[in-house]
Amino acid sequence: QVQLVESGGGLVQTGGSLRLSCAASGRTFSSSGMGWFRQAPGKEREFVARISSGGFTKYYADSVKGRFTISRDNAKNTVYLQMRELKPEDTALYYCAAGWGEVTTGYNYWGQGTQVTVSS
């Protein structure tokens, strides 16, 4: 069992930065792949980034590549999403999840989400 709690969301202007954190509880965190997804109003939840259990393998959606960086600290049971050069289209509820792949069905555990709003 893994419980996930996201934080770090907020309101930021276009071009700004935010760092999201996802704190995990449970003994299996260090052996779990982790991902970030987002969901804008009226849209489906979409993949943003994912990282392997050891942190060496990372993948990004094309829409965020070069602007977002995923990382993890297994000693702190935390995964991060550093977001730079934010755009209004990045506005969404951001979720972290434990699992693997680029579709939601690959993830067994989800947080409640943290809201990111980018103003133009």
Side-chain angles (χ1 to χ4, degrees):
Q1 190 85 3
V2 176
Q3 293 183 321
L4 304 171
V5 179
E6 302 96 335
S7 62
L11 174 64
V12 64
Q13 292 185 330
T14 297
S17 299
L18 282 174
R19 188 177 81 155
L20 306 183
S21 299
C22 173
S25 62
R27 294 177 293 175
T28 61
F29 175 80
S30 61
S31 62
S32 297
M34 297 294 296
W36 285 96
F37 287 74
R38 66 187 182 186
Q39 188 166 18
K43 294 188 177 181
E44 292 187 353
R45 194 169 300 188
E46 65 175 3
F47 166 76
V48 175
R50 59 189 174 103
I51 187 168
S52 61
S53 58
F56 297 108
T57 303
K58 305 175 185 181
Y59 296 95
Y60 298 92
D62 287 344
S63 59
V64 307
K65 202 172 293 183
R67 300 188 298 122
F68 291 12
T69 303
I70 189 171
S71 62
R72 66 189 297 162
D73 185 339
N74 284 346
K76 295 182 178 180
N77 275 16
T78 303
V79 63
Y80 304 97
L81 186 68
Q82 177 69 53
M83 306 185 294
R84 297 183 176 89
E85 300 175 27
L86 284 161
K87 306 174 182 180
E89 50 264 45
D90 294 318
T91 294
L93 190 60
Y94 282 71
Y95 298 91
C96 71
W100 196 238
E102 298 180 10
V103 294
T104 58
T105 52
Y107 293 78
N108 295 323
Y109 301 101
W110 293 83
Q112 294 300 306
T114 185
Q115 179 68 39
V116 171
T117 303
V118 184
S119 63
S120 56

